[in-house]
Amino acid sequence: MQIHYLWINNSYYLKDAGINLSSRFIFEMELLNSSQANQTRTLIIYENPDYIPDFFEKKNIKNVTAIIGKNGAGKSSILKYIRHHLPDGISANFHEDVIAYEMEEENEILFYLLIPDHLGLAINDKTELFTIQRFGDIPIESLRFSGIPSADYIHYSYFLEYNEDMNNYSGLINISTTAYLEAARTRIIEENLGNKNVQSQLLAKTSDLQNLYLDEVARAIQFLGAEDSRRLPFERPTELTVEINLDDSIYFEDNKKHLEINDLLEELYRRNISKRKEDRLINNLLLAIFINFQIDEKKYSINNPSKYQIPLNETESAFEYITRFFEEMKGYQVRIENDEVRITRYDLLSSIIPEFIEFMEDLIKRKIIKVTLGEGTQFNLPLTEETEEIFQRLRDYYLKVKGVSTFFNFRWRSLSTGEQSYLSFMSRFYHIKHHEHHKLQKNLVIMIDEGDACYHPEWQRQFFNLTLNYLSALFSEHTIQLIFTANTPFLSSDLPKSNVLFLEKTGKRTSLYHSKENNRIQTFAANIHTLYSNSFYMDGILIGAFAKNKLDKIIKYLNDKKVTSRNEDYLKTIRLIGEPVLRRKLLDMWAEKFGLNEERLRLQERLDEIDKLIKENNKGTQND
């Protein structure tokens, strides 16, 4: 299955937009009669002479399209239209639009052109391949029965997308960051349907960002334990580092309202002494949970009626006291308006914290986790076959125990921001292939919105090749149509011009959608710097905006005949210019402005340089 062409009448920022996603065919929509009463269009279809079958050398890759344009040109709007109109489970109305597609039936490729009856569209199909399907005002279900074949549409974006409907429909799998933020809350609700108290506590105490990060770590663990992770373009981490954070205790230092808590914490720190680093880890974990609880009670709970505290016995260790502290809170009641009310959060903590500690002690005993610092504030979880289940339990305990603030820091082996982003990218696709309950359909349309945007230029250069190889192997049992958006030339350098759709912003809310028969240079294997000079990327300007403004001032100064005084700072700036042709031109302008004396000074400087070189050369000869 492959979508070849969309003509969108009016949707979002797309108006009278011909979206050619095909590399095999060229579609041109011509308006023959511009009167509003009877607009007549002709759609011309012909073969692309530059088309090369199986160009990407992957049997399951049906086609690749890059949608290129500056910010605001409408790239993301095209992806939004596709995911809001074409998947099976939506009820969007596209009866004003035209869709050309192909599908395989009994090992034969068939081509269809789906058009509305009332559009007044003439068809000039020079390929003689397309069967016309017409529809009027009919239900979407009937349209699907006779029209567009079923496929799963997968949408990826690493950036936050505001004011977006991120619901998943049948046929739409949204693995964008925004969708995962919403999914994190949904997961908490669904996992705790039987316990409203736990559900409300988790939603109130844990931010969406924290949940998203923990889910990202969980997906990364799934991926890193699999053979597919060898496709990462950097050394894959072999373990997850978890650090216990005790810094929240600072809140109570010199806090006159809670002097008793500060005194208690100081005494617990003094009694938190163990010879074995494994015992110190458990003690620090309990201490972190205790501090986290006190912060929740004293800092974040407004008008908290609870006064729960128990005295510290003279001979108790920190471990013994904190264990007893949480055990004895079960059944604790507070008086509210003459009624004794139990605090359900206390009941939960009194049971879940002993389980959490027992779980951690068992991991240490079985040598599944390694305590890496002598202070007992950090442990590593090696990535093995059972790591995924262990982390899921660790995460669940952590989320149920923690309050508003955090006491665990999760991190990989010093991964850069770009490395974490690429790990997230590959992990998300791996997850939907191997760990989603949804069974993927045979046909996949994968949309990647500016997937390379946050990477170093070298990774941007490699991004398409890495992605093509990874996704074609991961979804080897599926046919794939890949649609990328980008506003940098790295992606287009990997693609023939027939696989690139150029968008140009022409007005506040209008864009020009160039035909594949455009006058742009050939993009495949083109020099990146040459592509940068193309107006789709940089308006032909290849220096920074600040530098350009600086040079514009100098040029204006040199051209102003009323100015006769020398500006030495400007001369120094000219000599700093890295582009030799530009530097020489401005030095010539400087010499012309300030006459022969300036030329004499420049010649003298050059003579001094030559004298210096001669002396150095003579000195070297004498040493020999």
Side-chain angles (χ1 to χ4, degrees):
M1 178 267 184
Q2 181 185 165
I3 304 168
H4 284 283
Y5 176 76
L6 298 166
W7 180 80
I8 302 167
N9 182 36
N10 191 1
S11 179
Y12 313 119
Y13 289 97
L14 307 172
K15 188 173 183 179
D16 192 13
I19 311 301
N20 191 348
L21 300 175
S22 179
S23 57
R24 178 175 176 178
F25 303 109
I26 293 175
F27 297 81
E28 292 183 353
M29 182 74 78
E30 292 186 353
L31 183 60
L32 302 180
N33 187 339
S34 60
S35 65
Q36 294 183 356
N38 183 23
Q39 288 193 344
T40 303
R41 295 178 172 85
T42 296
L43 179 62
I44 305 171
I45 310 172
Y46 53 96
E47 297 272 1
N48 187 344
D50 295 331
Y51 172 67
I52 301 175
D54 195 27
F55 180 80
F56 300 102
E57 301 177 355
K58 308 289 183 185
K59 290 184 178 180
N60 61 332
I61 300 294
K62 299 293 291 184
N63 192 31
V64 177
T65 303
I67 304 174
I68 304 294
K70 297 178 183 177
N71 289 330
K75 305 184 300 295
S76 296
S77 294
I78 294 174
L79 301 191
K80 182 176 181 180
Y81 176 90
I82 291 173
R83 67 178 185 267
H84 285 192
H85 289 75
L86 301 186
D88 289 343
I90 61 175
S91 57
N93 187 340
F94 57 91
H95 295 168
E96 300 292 325
D97 307 331
V98 176
I99 302 172
Y101 64 93
E102 73 174 55
M103 59 186 297
E104 185 175 348
E105 294 181 359
E106 298 179 355
N107 296 322
E108 182 182 3
I109 302 297
L110 302 176
F111 300 89
Y112 295 99
L113 186 64
L114 193 60
I115 61 176
D117 284 327
H118 60 275
L119 186 60
L121 181 67
I123 306 298
N124 183 2
D125 180 12
K126 297 182 179 181
T127 70
E128 299 182 348
L129 291 173
F130 285 84
T131 299
I132 297 175
Q133 295 176 317
R134 295 187 179 274
F135 62 90
D137 188 16
I138 59 176
I140 197 76
E141 294 81 7
S142 301
L143 177 60
R144 293 205 171 281
F145 181 76
S146 61
I148 301 172
S150 294
D152 275 331
Y153 293 77
I154 303 173
H155 171 66
Y156 171 85
S157 173
Y158 192 66
F159 300 104
L160 287 176
E161 301 163 282
Y162 300 101
N163 301 319
E164 286 290 308
D165 179 9
M166 288 300 159
N167 292 323
N168 280 351
Y169 306 102
S170 173
L172 174 63
I173 303 170
N174 198 324
I175 57 173
S176 68
T177 297
T178 305
Y180 274 141
L181 274 170
E182 293 187 8
R185 295 184 70 82
T186 302
R187 178 183 53 78
I188 288 176
I189 292 171
E190 291 177 349
E191 288 179 357
N192 298 280
L193 287 175
N195 194 329
K196 295 294 183 181
N197 291 318
V198 173
Q199 185 185 100
S200 61
Q201 288 289 337
L202 289 175
L203 290 175
K205 302 292 186 182
T206 308
S207 73
D208 290 343
L209 190 59
Q210 291 169 357
N211 284 318
L212 171 66
Y213 182 65
L214 288 173
D215 286 349
E216 290 278 51
V217 171
R219 283 188 290 270
I221 287 174
Q222 293 172 347
F223 172 68
L224 291 169
E227 192 68 22
D228 296 75
S229 64
R230 297 188 182 277
R231 294 183 179 274
L232 280 169
F234 52 88
E235 183 182 353
R236 60 178 179 172
T238 57
E239 56 190 15
L240 174 69
T241 298
V242 184
E243 182 181 25
I244 299 173
N245 186 353
L246 300 170
D247 292 344
D248 272 356
S249 61
I250 295 174
Y251 173 75
F252 296 105
E253 292 182 7
D254 301 322
N255 190 324
K256 295 180 180 180
K257 287 178 60 178
H258 306 294
L259 290 176
E260 75 288 355
I261 301 297
N262 185 59
D263 293 341
L264 176 59
L265 287 175
E266 288 184 354
E267 184 61 24
L268 290 176
Y269 274 118
R270 192 180 66 81
R271 299 188 187 188
N272 187 25
I273 300 174
S274 298
K275 293 182 179 180
R276 294 177 67 248
K277 60 183 180 182
E278 291 79 8
D279 293 334
R280 286 196 291 273
L281 180 76
I282 296 298
N283 290 353
N284 285 328
L285 175 57
L286 267 173
L287 188 57
I289 294 171
F290 180 76
I291 294 170
N292 187 263
F293 171 82
Q294 296 295 345
I295 287 287
D296 222 41
E297 293 283 289
K298 303 299 189 289
K299 183 178 181 180
Y300 295 116
S301 298
I302 301 173
N303 300 322
N304 183 9
S306 172
K307 305 298 180 185
Y308 177 76
Q309 289 293 343
I310 62 172
L312 174 63
N313 293 333
E314 195 170 323
T315 59
E316 277 184 312
S317 66
F319 176 91
E320 291 168 336
Y321 171 76
I322 297 173
T323 301
R324 183 167 65 88
F325 179 89
F326 287 110
E327 285 177 349
E328 292 186 6
M329 68 168 45
K330 185 173 184 178
Y332 178 77
Q333 295 181 330
V334 295
R335 179 169 290 278
I336 301 177
E337 297 180 356
N338 298 323
D339 290 326
E340 295 290 336
V341 179
R342 289 182 64 165
I343 302 178
T344 54
R345 169 73 175 161
Y346 286 9
D347 288 342
L348 172 66
L349 291 176
S350 67
S351 61
I352 204 72
I353 290 175
E355 287 183 22
F356 189 14
I357 299 302
E358 184 179 348
F359 169 70
M360 293 296 295
E361 289 175 333
D362 181 62
L363 293 180
I364 293 173
K365 182 179 179 181
R366 291 160 55 197
K367 297 183 179 180
I368 291 176
I369 63 175
K370 300 183 297 184
V371 184
T372 53
L373 291 180
E375 295 84 359
T377 57
Q378 182 176 295
F379 64 91
N380 288 353
L381 178 61
L383 302 180
T384 64
E385 293 182 357
E386 57 181 330
T387 300
E388 181 185 338
E389 180 183 353
I390 290 170
F391 180 77
Q392 294 290 357
R393 291 188 62 190
L394 177 65
R395 180 187 67 174
D396 290 344
Y397 279 128
Y398 173 64
L399 290 177
K400 289 177 181 178
V401 166
K402 69 178 286 297
V404 173
S405 61
T406 62
F407 59 84
F408 272 172
N409 296 327
F410 299 90
R411 56 184 175 84
W412 301 105
R413 165 202 48 82
S414 62
L415 293 186
S416 68
T417 301
E419 288 173 331
Q420 291 190 58
S421 172
Y422 207 86
L423 175 59
S424 173
F425 172 81
M426 299 183 83
S427 300
R428 292 183 190 185
F429 281 101
Y430 180 84
H431 180 80
I432 64 173
K433 175 65 167 73
H434 294 287
H435 294 275
E436 286 279 3
H437 299 301
H438 175 80
K439 183 179 179 181
L440 292 174
Q441 298 193 56
K442 173 69 175 178
N443 302 310
L444 301 179
V445 178
I446 299 178
M447 298 170 284
I448 300 176
D449 196 0
E450 298 190 19
D452 64 343
C454 64
Y455 298 142
H456 182 277
E458 174 60 17
W459 276 19
Q460 288 184 323
R461 189 182 68 84
Q462 296 185 42
F463 177 74
F464 174 74
N465 189 50
L466 291 168
T467 300
L468 181 73
N469 291 333
Y470 174 59
L471 294 181
S472 63
L474 181 67
F475 300 112
S476 59
E477 300 172 358
H478 304 264
T479 65
I480 302 172
Q481 179 175 5
L482 278 170
I483 305 173
F484 294 85
T485 67
N487 50 26
T488 63
F490 293 95
L491 181 60
S492 52
S493 176
D494 276 322
L495 299 172
K497 189 171 69 170
S498 57
N499 291 79
V500 179
L501 173 63
F502 289 105
L503 271 61
E504 188 171 3
K505 192 172 183 180
T506 57
K508 188 175 182 180
R509 297 189 65 177
T510 59
S511 294
L512 176 63
Y513 306 86
H514 285 265
S515 166
K516 295 297 178 73
E517 285 284 282
N518 59 69
N519 60 357
R520 298 289 158 185
I521 63 172
Q522 292 293 345
T523 56
F524 179 68
N527 184 286
I528 296 294
H529 297 287
T530 303
L531 289 172
Y532 261 128
S533 65
N534 187 294
S535 62
F536 277 97
Y537 306 103
M538 296 288 290
D539 291 325
I541 300 170
L542 297 179
I543 62 174
F546 177 82
K548 181 180 180 300
N549 290 336
K550 193 82 169 175
L551 296 187
D552 284 345
K553 288 180 181 179
I554 294 175
I555 292 170
K556 183 178 180 181
Y557 159 80
L558 292 173
N559 288 329
D560 191 344
K561 295 182 179 180
K562 295 180 180 179
V563 177
T564 57
S565 60
R566 289 165 51 95
N567 187 322
E568 293 297 331
D569 287 343
Y570 280 176
L571 182 57
K572 288 180 181 178
T573 303
I574 292 172
R575 287 171 174 165
L576 291 174
I577 295 173
E579 163 50 48
V581 175
L582 181 59
R583 181 177 65 248
R584 175 58 57 188
K585 176 61 178 175
L586 291 179
L587 285 173
D588 289 343
M589 291 175 67
W590 185 277
E592 183 179 345
K593 182 177 181 67
F594 293 106
L596 293 176
N597 287 335
E598 184 65 30
E599 183 66 20
R600 184 176 64 81
L601 289 172
R602 287 177 58 192
L603 289 173
Q604 185 60 53
E605 288 177 357
R606 180 58 180 157
L607 287 172
D608 292 343
E609 289 178 5
I610 293 172
D611 289 342
K612 184 179 179 181
L613 290 172
I614 292 172
K615 288 179 181 179
E616 290 177 354
N617 186 54
N618 291 338
K619 186 178 179 180
T621 303
Q622 292 172 3
N623 291 337
D624 292 341

